[in-house]
Amino acid sequence: MTVEKMILAVITTSPHKVAGGVTFVCENDEEMQRIAANLEAILDGIAHALSDDLLIIVKH
């Protein structure tokens, strides 16, 4: 099975902005960027910033 065009994970420092799904809550921006970089490699996805405190990992 091939996964295409899907949100794989959400990474945030503001958990009140997220409801459901695979969510990683971070203490600060540095941790958020580090987690995003690791998840990009692990999931073979791309990180996109939706705001300063919210990133998503997607598969195109």
Side-chain angles (χ1 to χ4, degrees):
M1 181 172 117
T2 303
V3 176
E4 293 182 23
K5 299 183 181 183
M6 178 180 276
I7 297 173
L8 302 174
V10 178
I11 307 139
T12 186
T13 55
S14 299
H16 65 278
K17 290 186 174 183
V18 180
V22 178
T23 305
F24 295 84
V25 178
C26 301
E27 294 291 322
N28 54 48
D29 184 64
E30 182 180 309
E31 181 184 17
M32 191 170 66
Q33 296 300 326
R34 187 175 63 251
I35 296 292
N38 286 332
L39 288 173
E40 282 180 312
I42 293 165
L43 300 173
D44 192 28
I46 302 296
H48 293 281
L50 299 182
S51 65
D52 289 340
D53 57 357
L54 185 64
L55 299 173
I56 58 173
I57 305 292
V58 299
K59 183 77 168 180
H60 288 284

